[in-house]
């Protein structure tokens, strides 16, 4: 037996075990070829990637060290005696091999794969093989089967007597598109329950959870979240506690570095989390633009049809809005700047970003029409009334108060650089991908005050030397990286 040691190392979503090369109980070489080890005790077990260390100050020869995620998942106290066994390859991986060979998998076969992935029985290489095989081809029936398997492998929320449970989701790719933080309080002010669970940004300068955390606590346990929705009709919280479709989080952690983002996997990812969250009525926002995820109207229509087909089979009332994704929405890119834009809209500030305001009203209006009491076509007018009357702002203030204060006060980065126009003319295009990269290099979303403050949008005139946008950062290194990247290509075309 080895003594369990908790190592304060954040290995994100990967379970990692650390074994001393001079281990007194096992031959380390027995596990090195496998690259993984299974830790067991009292009916509990954990599969982990194996790292070997030589420093006994990190892990002694009679200890096994576990990283933060692994220690939490195993659920045993530090100092507990555990033993190790060589991991056996998951039986379901034979199904992955069949998929690589061109087979179409059944619902039961997909469920077996997803169960093993959720239980951390797959290495990242094995997950990558599954994802690449699915990216090569996937039938519509397989998309539905994958979605069902991902729902079944996690927690599923039930809202009992609340009736219609509304939700919205944007497929992403457009900086500043923080409409959820306006839509949720509008819908909640109307009285339609809208429990919004959101992720933190992975490759973008801000996610809804990152931006909401500027204003309120988003790290809310599931029971508290459910009470919040009953009291305030809405919430804007991080979905990490709720464990909705946990397989999706694991798949995404491998998809991102491989740049795999097929429409089939996108649909399974989004709908599995929404059904698991207990949503009955869902609006999907698909932005279309030259630097968005979806580049053409034809692609958007094909994606819409897949969403509708799978949503119908899952019992969702689902609608799709195809929106303008030709440029960032609002003026801010980064949590503090985006929170500023959101609150300006909710406060009916005359200087608020008009595009963010109108897009949020469009989406909120579509959701309000899920309510049988709202006549078709009148949702936008109802949404506008709720915003202009201050009811939406009051609903947002109530949600913020109930969720509690943010963990830290976030302020705008004090290091500021302006990116100037190279010529007189009209702004002809904004590259969403490039601007998002610059904002991330400036430190967003980890540094909530970092990002880009857009001063010109498409169609607006500018003179040579006038600022197109400001870069905000808090550290010299981030500031230097962002400035250098913007100097290569600002992401703004002036014609």
């Amino acid at each position: 037996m080895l003594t369990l040691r908790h190592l304060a190392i954040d290995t994100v979503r990967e379970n990692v075990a650390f074994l001393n090369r001079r281990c007194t109980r096992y031959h380390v070489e027995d596990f090195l070829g496998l690259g993984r080890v299974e830790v067991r005790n009292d009916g509990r077990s954990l599969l982990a990637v194996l790292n070997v260390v030589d420093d006994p100050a990190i892990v002694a020869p009679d200890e096994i060290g576990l990283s933060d995620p692994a220690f939490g998942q195993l659920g045993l106290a530090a100092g507990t005696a555990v033993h190790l066994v060589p991991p056996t390859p998951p039986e379901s991986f034979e199904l992955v091999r069949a998929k690589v060979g061109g087979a179409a998998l059944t619902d039961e076969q997909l469920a077996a794969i997803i169960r093993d992935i959720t239980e951390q029985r797959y290495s990242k290489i094995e997950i990558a093989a599954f994802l690449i095989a699915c990216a090569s081809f996937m039938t519509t029936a397989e998309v539905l089967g994958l979605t069902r398997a991902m729902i079944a492998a996690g927690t599923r929320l039930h809202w009992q007597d609340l009736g219609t449970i509304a939700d919205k989701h944007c497929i992403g790719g457009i900086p500043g598109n923080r409409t959820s933080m306006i839509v949720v309080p509008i819908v909640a002010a109307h009285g339609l329950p809208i429990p919004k669970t959101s992720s933190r940004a992975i490759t973008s300068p801000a996610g809804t959870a990152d931006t909401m955390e500027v204003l309120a606590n988003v790290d809310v346990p599931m029971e508290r979240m459910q009470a919040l929705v009953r009291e305030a009709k809405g919430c804007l919280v991080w979905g990490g506690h709720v464990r909705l479709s946990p397989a999706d989080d694991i798949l995404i952690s491998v998809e991102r570095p491989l740049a795999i983002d097929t429409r089939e996997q996108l649909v399974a990812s989004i709908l599995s989390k929404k059904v698991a969250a207990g949503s009955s009525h869902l609006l999907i926002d698909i932005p279309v633009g030259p630097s968005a995820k979806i580049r053409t109207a034809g692609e958007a229509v094909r994606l819409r049809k897949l969403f509708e087909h799978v949503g119908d089979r899952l019992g969702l009332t689902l609608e799709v809005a195809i929106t303008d994704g030709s440029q960032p929405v609002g003026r801010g890119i980064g949590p503090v700047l985006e929170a500023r834009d959101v609150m300006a809209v909710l406060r009916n500030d005359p200087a608020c970003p008009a595009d963010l305001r109108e897009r949020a009203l469009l989406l909120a209006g579509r959701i309000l029409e899920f309510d049988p009491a709202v006549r078709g076509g009148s949702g936008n007018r109802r949404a506008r009334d709720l915003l202009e009357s201050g009811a939406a702002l009051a609903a947002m203030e109530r949600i913020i108060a109930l969720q509690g204060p943010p963990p830290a006060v976030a302020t705008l980065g004090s290091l500021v650089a302006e990116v100037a126009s190279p010529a007189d003319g009209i702004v002809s295009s904004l590259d969403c991908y490039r601007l998002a990269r610059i904002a991330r290099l400036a430190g967003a979303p980890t540094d909530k005050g970092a990002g880009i403050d857009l001063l010109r949008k498409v169609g607006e005139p500018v003179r040579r030397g006038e600022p197109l946008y400001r870069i905000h950062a808090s550290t010299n290194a981030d500031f230097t990286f962002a400035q250098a990247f913007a100097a290569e290509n600002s992401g703004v075309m002036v014609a």
Side-chain angles (χ1 to χ4, degrees):
M1 303 289 279
L2 294 173
T3 301
L4 184 64
R5 183 169 184 170
H6 178 203
L7 298 178
I9 301 172
D10 184 1
T11 51
V12 195
R13 295 181 180 87
E14 189 165 42
N15 292 332
V16 180
F18 298 83
L19 197 60
N20 192 293
R21 192 181 303 276
R22 294 175 179 80
C23 179
T24 57
R25 305 287 190 265
Y26 297 91
H27 294 294
V28 174
E29 295 78 9
D30 293 344
F31 300 100
L32 282 177
L34 301 169
R36 290 187 294 168
V37 66
E38 187 168 352
V39 183
R40 289 184 179 177
N41 173 278
D42 194 24
R44 295 176 186 246
S45 67
L46 174 88
L47 276 170
V49 173
L50 179 63
N51 284 358
V52 177
V53 300
D54 293 301
D55 186 350
I58 299 173
V59 177
D62 61 348
E63 293 179 324
I64 179 79
L66 293 183
S67 65
D68 254 346
F71 186 80
Q73 187 173 329
L74 185 59
L76 296 173
T80 301
V82 297
H83 66 276
L84 310 182
V85 296
T88 55
E91 291 183 10
S92 67
F93 194 68
E94 289 301 320
L95 301 172
V96 174
R97 289 193 177 95
K99 183 66 181 168
V100 170
L105 302 180
T106 66
D107 285 10
E108 292 75 17
Q109 290 170 330
L110 288 163
I113 292 169
I114 292 300
R115 276 196 304 272
D116 281 340
I117 288 174
T118 303
E119 293 168 4
Q120 306 279 347
R121 304 197 70 83
Y122 274 44
S123 69
K124 285 194 172 182
I125 292 173
E126 289 165 337
I127 293 170
F130 174 64
L131 289 169
I132 292 168
C134 290
S136 298
F137 93 97
M138 206 170 188
T139 67
T140 303
E142 285 180 300
V143 178
L144 179 60
L146 178 62
T147 309
R148 284 174 169 157
M150 290 165 70
I151 295 166
T155 302
R156 188 163 181 178
L157 299 181
H158 299 281
W159 298 97
Q160 284 112 11
D161 57 333
L162 290 187
T164 297
I165 302 297
D167 205 347
K168 74 162 282 284
H169 188 90
C170 176
I171 68 165
I174 306 299
N177 193 15
R178 212 48 59 217
T179 53
S180 290
M181 291 176 63
I182 302 167
V183 169
V184 167
I186 289 174
V187 174
H190 176 74
L192 200 59
I194 181 163
K196 178 64 176 164
T197 60
S198 303
S199 60
R200 297 186 186 276
I202 299 173
T203 58
S204 67
T208 297
D210 302 300
T211 304
M212 185 64 183
E213 198 169 40
V214 173
L215 306 173
N217 172 43
V218 298
D219 195 358
V220 177
M222 182 171 64
E223 296 77 13
R224 178 64 187 141
M225 171 195 152
Q226 291 176 302
L228 254 166
V229 174
R230 291 185 179 280
E231 194 168 347
K233 295 298 182 184
C235 66
L236 286 148
V237 302
W238 173 56
H241 273 308
V242 190
R243 203 174 175 268
L244 305 173
S245 187
D248 183 50
D249 295 329
I250 298 169
L251 295 176
I252 285 173
S253 71
V254 178
E255 284 174 356
R256 297 296 188 191
L258 295 174
I260 296 173
D261 196 13
T262 67
R263 63 192 184 103
E264 291 81 7
Q265 289 165 10
L266 178 73
V267 168
S269 170
I270 292 170
L271 294 188
S272 66
K273 283 197 167 172
K274 295 307 177 184
V275 172
S279 303
S280 62
H281 292 66
L282 175 64
L283 178 68
I284 299 290
D285 177 13
I286 303 178
V288 179
S291 56
K293 280 186 181 180
I294 302 299
R295 305 294 175 88
T296 68
E299 287 180 70
V301 169
R302 287 191 292 275
L303 181 57
R304 186 199 75 201
K305 288 181 177 179
L306 185 57
F307 267 119
E308 291 171 343
H309 173 80
V310 177
D312 286 349
R313 297 293 298 274
L314 294 172
L316 276 172
T317 299
L318 183 145
E319 290 196 17
V320 175
I322 297 175
T323 57
D324 178 14
S326 61
Q327 63 176 325
V329 180
R331 297 282 179 179
I333 303 174
V336 167
L337 291 161
E338 293 179 23
R340 175 204 65 187
D341 286 354
V342 165
M343 294 311 295
V345 171
L346 288 171
R347 289 170 181 147
N348 291 297
D349 185 336
C352 76
D355 58 343
L356 177 62
R357 183 179 192 271
E358 292 307 312
R359 184 184 294 245
L361 286 170
L362 168 72
L363 298 173
R366 294 280 294 270
I367 293 173
L368 291 180
E369 289 182 9
F370 287 141
D371 182 352
V374 177
R375 294 179 63 84
S378 64
N380 187 272
R381 185 171 64 252
R382 173 64 175 155
R384 198 173 298 273
D385 289 345
L386 290 165
L387 178 63
E388 292 176 354
S389 69
L393 176 61
M396 182 59 144
E397 290 173 342
R398 182 170 175 77
I399 289 168
I400 289 171
L402 289 170
Q403 289 186 200
V409 176
T411 57
L412 194 57
S414 58
L415 299 175
V416 183
E418 291 186 341
V419 175
S421 174
D424 295 348
I426 304 293
V427 175
S428 59
S429 70
L430 295 172
D431 186 330
C432 291
Y433 179 75
R434 186 79 184 183
L435 291 168
R437 284 285 309 277
I438 295 168
R440 280 188 67 87
L441 286 170
T446 305
D447 173 8
K448 287 187 163 51
I452 288 175
D453 197 3
L454 290 170
L455 304 176
R456 296 288 189 278
K457 299 291 286 286
V458 171
E460 295 181 359
V462 65
R463 301 294 298 273
R464 177 186 173 86
E466 288 182 342
L468 297 166
Y469 57 82
R470 294 190 186 99
I471 298 172
H472 287 268
S474 300
T475 69
N476 286 320
D478 290 340
F479 192 48
T480 301
F481 290 148
Q483 283 182 286
F485 200 66
E488 290 176 11
N489 178 351
S490 70
V492 182
M493 290 292 294
V494 177

